[in-house]
């Protein structure tokens, strides 16, 4: 029997969606994989599944009332303290909204607020509710701002009679995702990731930068941390909130980024250069604002080339096996040819090539992996979170025994 979840304490939060009828099956499969499951259900969920069913399956008293004189008044704090994962399945639109807003209006949302570990949501709702801008915004808050996980709903027949996206993923697939959360296959690996744009100041007010959002680099950092790696994220200015449990070095210019990369790379096992480093900077940063009154009809500024950080570390470590070095190529044309040329020139172990139109400022991307050994693999259009996982899987296939 597969006991991947042995010794894992999971709080299974069940909310008021019709898919709650699948929660007992999910609890059963989690237990079968070795987990200790404590179910917490909302009052709305009691309409679809009885506490007694979950209690019988899990062997633990099921809690659902916030104010109940017979229960521990600090139940929400104590439950939150001891769990390895808080899994909300099914997650209704309303519960997702409560969690995104940081509400504590019922026991399960209070537990979610008090919980410091990994939270995963398996949404289940009607397609229109799922596609509604409010729900999409709330899901984005849960993932991008709080660093929590969404087990994407599947397409299929919904309770309302239509066939579309919104159905809770099958209990088997949810158990698989949960197992992946605990897969700490990068434990012991130090991974340095650059992300975002660099900002090259011209004077105290103006700068040159680019449209990189930093989403890919932050997604790699999040996936690596989840898998147990020691992560150093060297980030240019972005609007993103970094994941928990990593070291973040905030930088502004390419020169600052170079310094941080050189300081962190010696003992790294993998360096992923996903930042969009500005190729040029202003020759001298003016200490005072350049006044338009002092200029004629045009302003000339002299730009000088920034150091190529990827090339520099490629050369520095070309004779040693570690760190493995991955670079990116963001191109508008001839993706494959330019990517291959970049791989050779910069002495990287792999180049991840993507086109500006597929990648910039988007949640998804489509890339070509170009390996040093000549292999070339193309992905479909995938979420940047999924790309992050693929990149780290590629690294492990090159370097499984380095630690
Ligand atoms: O040469 P190009 O900018 O297209 O190369 C992109 C790759 O090189 C990315 O991995 C980027 O992080 C890295 N790079 C760098 N230093 C620069 C420019 C790009 O490390 N000055």
């Amino acid at each position: 029997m597969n006991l991947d979840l042995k010794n894992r304490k999971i709080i299974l939060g069940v909310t008021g969606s019709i898919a709650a009828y699948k929660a007992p099956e999910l609890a059963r499969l989690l237990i079968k994989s070795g987990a200790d499951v404590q179910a917490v259900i909302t009052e709305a969920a009691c309409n679809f599944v009885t506490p007694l069913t979950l209690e019988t399956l899990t062997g633990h008293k099921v809690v659902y009332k916030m104010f109940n004189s017979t229960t521990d008044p600090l139940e929400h704090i104590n439950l939150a303290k001891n769990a390895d994962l808080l899994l909300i399945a099914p997650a209704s639109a309303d519960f997702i909204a409560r969690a995104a807003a940081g509400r504590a209006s019922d026991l399960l949302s209070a537990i979610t607020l008090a919980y410091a570990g990994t939270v995963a949501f398996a949404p289940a709702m009607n397609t229109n509710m799922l596609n509604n801008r409010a729900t999409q915004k709330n899901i984005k808050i849960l993932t991008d701002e709080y660093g929590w996980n969404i087990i994407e709903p599947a397409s299929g027949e919904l309770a309302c009679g239509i066939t579309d996206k919104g159905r809770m993923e099958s209990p088997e697939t949810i158990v698989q995702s949960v197992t992946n959360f605990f897969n700490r296959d990068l434990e012991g690996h130090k991974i340095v990731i650059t992300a975002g744009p660099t900002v090259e100041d011209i004077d105290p007010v103006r700068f040159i930068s680019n449209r990189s959002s930093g989403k890919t680099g932050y997604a790699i950092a999040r996936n690596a941390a989840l898998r147990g790696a020691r992560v150093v994220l060297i980030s240019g200015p972005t609007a993103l909130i970094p994941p928990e449990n990593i070291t973040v070095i905030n930088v502004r210019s390419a020169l600052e980024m170079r310094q941080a990369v050189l300081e962190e790379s010696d003992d790294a096992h993998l360096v992923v250069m996903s930042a969009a480093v500005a190729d040029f900077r202003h020759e001298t940063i003016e200490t005072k604002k350049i006044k338009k009154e002092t200029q004629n009809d045009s302003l000339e500024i002299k730009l000088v080339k920034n150091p190529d950080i990827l090339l520099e570390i490629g050369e520095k470590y070309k004779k040693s096996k570690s760190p493995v070095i991955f670079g990116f190529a963001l191109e508008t044309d001839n993706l494959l040819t330019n990517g291959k040329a970049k791989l050779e020139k910069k002495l990287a172990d792999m180049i991840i090539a993507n086109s500006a139109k597929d990648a910039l400022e988007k949640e998804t991307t489509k890339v070509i992996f170009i390996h040093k050994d000549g292999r070339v693999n193309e992905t479909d259009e995938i979420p940047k979170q999924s790309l992050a996982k693929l990149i780290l899987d590629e690294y492990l296939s090159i370097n499984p025994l380095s630690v």
Side-chain angles (χ1 to χ4, degrees):
M1 206 193 329
N2 171 354
L3 285 177
D4 286 343
L5 298 175
K6 194 162 177 262
N7 297 330
R8 300 295 185 186
K9 214 170 159 29
I10 297 174
I11 299 179
L12 173 62
V14 183
T15 75
S17 150
I18 174 71
Y21 83 89
K22 295 184 192 162
E25 176 63 1
L26 176 58
R28 198 184 65 78
L29 292 179
L30 290 168
I31 293 165
K32 210 172 143 201
S33 295
D36 180 11
V37 177
Q38 164 71 64
V40 179
I41 76 176
T42 63
E43 294 210 48
C46 292
N47 293 306
F48 301 105
V49 61
T50 70
L52 185 61
T53 313
L54 287 162
E55 225 160 80
T56 312
L57 284 168
T58 61
H60 292 296
K61 191 155 176 40
V62 170
V63 287
Y64 60 99
K65 278 214 163 83
M66 183 80 157
F67 303 105
N68 183 341
S69 58
T70 61
T71 56
D72 173 4
L74 288 178
E75 193 138 44
H76 57 297
I77 306 289
N78 291 332
L79 280 172
K81 243 195 281 184
N82 299 320
D84 297 308
L85 175 75
L86 173 55
L87 170 66
I88 313 287
S92 66
D94 191 65
F95 190 81
I96 287 172
R98 298 211 291 286
R103 300 283 306 270
S105 48
D106 60 277
L107 183 63
L108 187 56
S109 56
I111 290 171
T112 308
L113 197 61
Y115 187 60
T118 303
V119 189
F121 295 79
M125 66 196 74
N126 157 277
T127 308
N128 290 342
M129 290 171 85
L130 179 66
N131 290 340
N132 187 288
R133 276 182 297 173
T135 307
Q136 286 302 313
K137 187 172 154 205
N138 289 330
I139 289 177
K140 209 163 146 31
I141 290 174
L142 299 183
T143 55
D144 292 8
E145 294 192 21
Y146 306 165
W148 291 343
N149 303 280
I150 296 290
I151 300 167
E152 285 288 327
S155 288
E157 199 180 324
L158 301 176
C160 55
I162 60 164
T163 300
D164 211 333
K165 189 171 172 180
R167 184 177 158 151
M168 185 175 84
E169 220 1 312
S170 69
E172 290 77 10
T173 306
I174 295 176
V175 172
Q176 189 52 55
S177 301
V178 167
T179 309
N180 290 344
F181 291 138
F182 292 120
N183 181 4
R184 296 177 67 81
D185 54 1
L186 289 171
E187 202 138 64
H189 295 243
K190 176 178 175 183
I191 300 188
V192 176
I193 301 153
T194 67
T198 66
V199 168
E200 310 298 331
D201 288 317
I202 295 172
D203 69 15
V205 193
R206 305 175 179 100
F207 58 77
I208 298 173
S209 191
N210 58 63
R211 289 169 56 188
S212 164
S213 65
K215 281 181 186 146
T216 300
Y218 277 61
I220 299 167
R222 178 165 299 137
N223 192 273
L226 203 63
R227 291 161 71 167
R230 185 153 60 92
V231 177
V232 178
L233 175 67
I234 301 170
S235 175
T238 73
L240 305 174
I241 297 171
E244 304 264 328
N245 304 324
I246 68 165
T247 303
V248 182
I249 303 177
N250 287 307
V251 297
R252 188 168 169 82
S253 64
L255 291 180
E256 284 173 16
M257 186 168 275
R258 170 183 177 272
Q259 181 72 25
V261 171
L262 291 178
E263 276 167 19
E264 292 295 335
S265 297
D266 267 351
D267 61 343
H269 301 94
L270 170 68
V271 179
V272 187
M273 296 287 301
S274 61
V277 185
D279 290 324
F280 294 94
R281 69 176 184 277
H282 197 221
E283 191 175 34
T284 44
I285 304 173
E286 304 296 335
T287 52
K288 293 210 168 90
K289 184 180 173 190
I290 303 170
K291 301 290 287 174
K292 69 172 174 247
E293 293 78 13
T294 63
Q295 308 296 319
N296 295 324
D297 284 347
S298 61
L299 168 66
E300 273 183 29
I301 52 174
K302 182 161 180 206
L303 299 178
V304 293
K305 239 191 192 151
N306 265 328
D308 190 320
I309 310 167
L310 179 58
L311 175 62
E312 197 170 334
I313 57 167
E315 275 176 342
K316 183 169 176 198
Y317 300 110
K318 72 176 170 209
K319 293 217 169 76
S320 52
K321 276 182 96 179
S322 195
V324 170
I325 299 172
F326 289 170
F328 275 72
L330 182 75
E331 304 289 341
T332 48
D333 331 82
N334 302 327
L335 204 51
L336 188 57
T337 321
N338 287 331
K340 280 185 173 165
K342 208 150 285 182
L343 179 83
E344 243 169 65
K345 180 178 158 216
K346 305 213 187 196
L347 307 168
D349 293 286
M350 181 171 81
I351 286 285
I352 301 134
N354 52 6
S355 76
K357 88 172 161 21
D358 287 334
L360 275 178
E361 294 166 342
K362 286 199 165 170
E363 301 297 328
T364 57
T365 187
K366 188 171 176 303
V367 308
I368 309 178
F369 289 138
I370 307 170
H371 296 262
K372 197 162 73 175
D373 62 12
R375 279 179 302 132
V376 171
N377 312 316
E378 197 165 338
T379 69
D380 296 327
E381 185 177 337
I382 50 173
K384 287 181 176 171
Q385 292 287 350
S386 311
L387 173 67
K389 179 178 179 312
L390 288 183
I391 290 172
L392 293 169
D393 289 349
E394 287 293 341
Y395 158 66
L396 270 183
S397 72
I398 296 175
N399 199 28
L401 300 173
S402 72
V403 183

